[in-house]
Amino acid sequence: MTVPIVLFTADLRVHDHPPLRAALASAKGSSKGSSKEVLPLFVRDTAIEAAGFAAPNRRAFLADCLTDLDAALRDRGGRLVVRSGSTVEQVCRVAAEVEAHEVHMAAGVSRFALLREARLREALESAGRRLRVHDAVTTAVPPGAVTPAGSDHFAVFTPYFRRWSQVFGRTPSAAPGAVRVPSDVASEELPSRASVTGVSEGLAAGGETEGRKRATAWRRAGLAEYEDRHDDLAGDATSRLSPHLHFGTLSPAELVHRARRAGGAGAEAFVRQLCWRDFHHQVLAARPAAAVADYRTRHDRWRSQPAASREIAAWKAGRTGYPVVDAAMRQLAHEGWMHNRGRLLVASFLTKTLYVDWRIGARHFLDLLVDGDIANNQLNWQWVAGTGTDSRPNRVLNPVLQGKRYDPDGTYVRRWVPELAGIAGAAVHEPWKLPGPERARYDYPDPIVALSDGRDRFQRARGRAG
């Protein structure tokens, strides 16, 4: 008897899951009398923790996802097998236990994922087994599926979106009705959220059940207005599905399919955001070094950590003196998540107003974000810093003007910076302008840098002064 293995990585679901479907088809095609079993496997890779990527918020969310995935498999007659250690070693060990002829997994794009895939393929083939890697599992369109003439990837979003829209067409598959798993394969206990320390107090629940519930509710109540309200900081009108996309508890292909079926301007705006996610994945797949190095160097002489330590600490703590920046940073600390407009604002403030290396900000985000995805996090930071794919690399977002535009009555600021709750309306975005006695009532810092000074420093550094 041989049993195909399904190696779950960033695809922790049973709906629209090509590797699981293929493994089940392979099991059904085995010899007469076979039990037609598959082996769903997840390896808690110790290399991820050693690299510092196993942040508490993601570990807690992952625990929810694995518990929910196991429950979904048990509802279908199966279970999830969990092992810890090196992915390559553990997969090969389990493959030997069940005499697996092949292993199915989703394709990845990070340097870590590609190296893991290469090593696993080599190890399996040396034992006479086969690795089958499936595209369009963690993205709607596979990286490299569309390329411009003369290049291996698109560096500009709009032409990528046009081509991406033309090639997307996969119809999502339903969850399998039954998944039979060998009963004699040992598994570790599932991790639990309760065992993880340092988790953000407001961290959302994980798992496919929660993700599908959230996606359905938002599609009914938020999708139609998404184009008009996605930048509304106080309205919190985004889908909040990014953690589920990061862990693969939702299929991006299914989200695109359902949004297009709903139709309308809001749906198209949402599809565009899903395409941005694929765009960054295809950039990183082609340029893995962009995770740590400038995609397009501007020859920046960033302020060093020691030189800017006071400002960096204030930025992380949400005490910069710019209320909308501080509100977003406090939301990040409390929820392990941040509104997309807030991400743009705080990244612009750090890299262009404070002129601090984007990698410092990206690392802090990865320490806290539950949706901390290498492709999207690093390349969005580079986009804002002007070292990425942005065609306007010297754009600077003014936090006061942005606050007044996207939080016009200050509701978002007062929600996350309660010490300013007594300031009514848009005045909350500029507390330093209050009359002296009134200003003294608020325990809130003055701006750590004047916006004009920050802008001048940035322009001098980029050779644009005068």
Side-chain angles (χ1 to χ4, degrees), residues 9-13 42 55 57-63 65 138 206-207 241-250 277 369-373:
T9 54
D11 50 347
L12 305 178
R13 63 180 186 269
F42 181 85
N57 286 336
R58 290 193 295 280
R59 285 174 56 208
F61 199 90
L62 172 63
C65 295
T138 61
L241 297 179
S242 55
H244 294 281
L245 285 165
H246 174 66
F247 284 93
T249 57
L250 290 176
R277 182 174 179 274
L369 280 176
V370 64
D371 61 12
D373 179 278

Side-chain angles (χ1 to χ4, degrees), residues 380-465:
N380 271 315
W381 267 95
Q382 291 222 49
W383 189 90
V384 177
T387 62
T389 61
D390 186 14
S391 60
R392 295 173 57 193
N394 298 303
R395 176 197 291 111
V396 179
L397 299 180
N398 182 309
V400 176
L401 297 180
Q402 291 274 307
K404 290 179 177 179
R405 180 176 180 180
Y406 297 114
D407 184 31
D409 63 359
T411 300
Y412 178 75
V413 165
R414 282 186 290 274
R415 180 183 304 156
W416 294 107
V417 189
E419 60 266 42
L420 299 180
I423 305 175
V428 75
H429 292 294
E430 298 173 288
W432 59 88
K433 289 186 175 181
L434 296 173
E438 183 179 356
R439 172 69 183 92
R441 296 194 340 238
Y442 299 102
D443 179 22
Y444 183 75
D446 286 328
I448 57 175
V449 63
L451 295 179
S452 58
D453 292 343
R455 183 187 63 247
D456 291 346
R457 175 173 55 199
F458 172 70
Q459 290 180 338
R460 287 195 303 272
R462 286 273 170 99
R464 297 174 62 83

Side-chain angles (χ1 to χ4, degrees), residues 80 302 315 326 370:
L80 179 66
W302 301 108
W315 177 81
D326 294 340
V370 64

Side-chain angles (χ1 to χ4, degrees), residues 12 128 130 139 175 180 283 297 329 361:
L12 305 178
R130 179 185 180 193
T139 58
R180 298 185 60 186
V283 171
T297 182
M329 294 302 292

Side-chain angles (χ1 to χ4, degrees), residues 100-313:
H101 58 290
E102 59 187 23
V103 174
H104 297 259
M105 70 179 296
V109 300
S110 69
R111 191 190 298 271
F112 176 85
L114 295 175
L115 184 59
R116 175 181 61 192
E117 178 186 318
R119 288 176 174 171
L120 182 56
R121 185 184 303 280
E122 181 181 6
L124 288 171
E125 289 181 351
S126 68
R129 311 185 200 282
R130 179 185 180 193
L131 177 65
R132 292 188 58 190
V133 178
H134 300 262
D135 289 325
V137 181
T138 61
T139 58
V141 172
V146 291
T147 56
S151 179
D152 57 358
H153 72 289
F154 277 92
V156 180
F157 175 75
T158 300
Y160 174 77
F161 179 57
R162 285 196 294 265
R163 291 282 299 280
W164 179 93
S165 298
Q166 292 168 359
V167 304
F168 176 80
R170 180 167 76 79
T171 301
S173 60
V179 180
R180 298 185 60 186
V181 177
S183 61
D184 57 348
V185 179
S187 174
E188 300 173 4
E189 289 187 7
L190 292 166
S192 69
R193 175 186 283 232
S195 66
V196 184
T197 59
V199 177
S200 292
E201 182 180 345
L203 183 70
E208 182 179 14
T209 301
E210 178 65 24
R212 295 187 71 80
K213 184 193 309 179
R214 181 179 289 274
T216 298
W218 184 78
R219 192 165 54 246
R220 291 171 178 169
L223 182 63
E225 298 180 342
Y226 182 72
E227 182 181 36
D228 296 328
R229 300 192 59 212
H230 69 275
D231 276 324
D232 179 359
L233 285 164
D236 196 16
T238 64
S239 71
R240 285 184 172 256
L241 297 179
S242 55
H244 294 281
L245 285 165
H246 174 66
F247 284 93
T249 57
L250 290 176
S251 159
E254 183 178 0
L255 290 177
V256 173
H257 181 81
R258 290 183 179 275
R260 286 189 165 168
R261 192 168 64 183
E268 282 305 309
F270 179 60
V271 167
R272 190 177 178 88
Q273 291 304 310
L274 291 169
C275 182
W276 264 110
R277 182 174 179 274
D278 278 12
F279 173 78
H280 286 142
H281 277 75
Q282 59 97 37
V283 171
L284 188 66
R287 298 290 183 272
V292 294
D294 290 349
Y295 176 81
R296 289 175 175 154
T297 182
R298 305 296 173 187
H299 304 289
D300 285 295
R301 300 177 300 279
W302 301 108
R303 297 173 68 209
S304 65
Q305 179 93 30
S309 59
R310 182 182 68 87
E311 291 96 332
I312 293 170

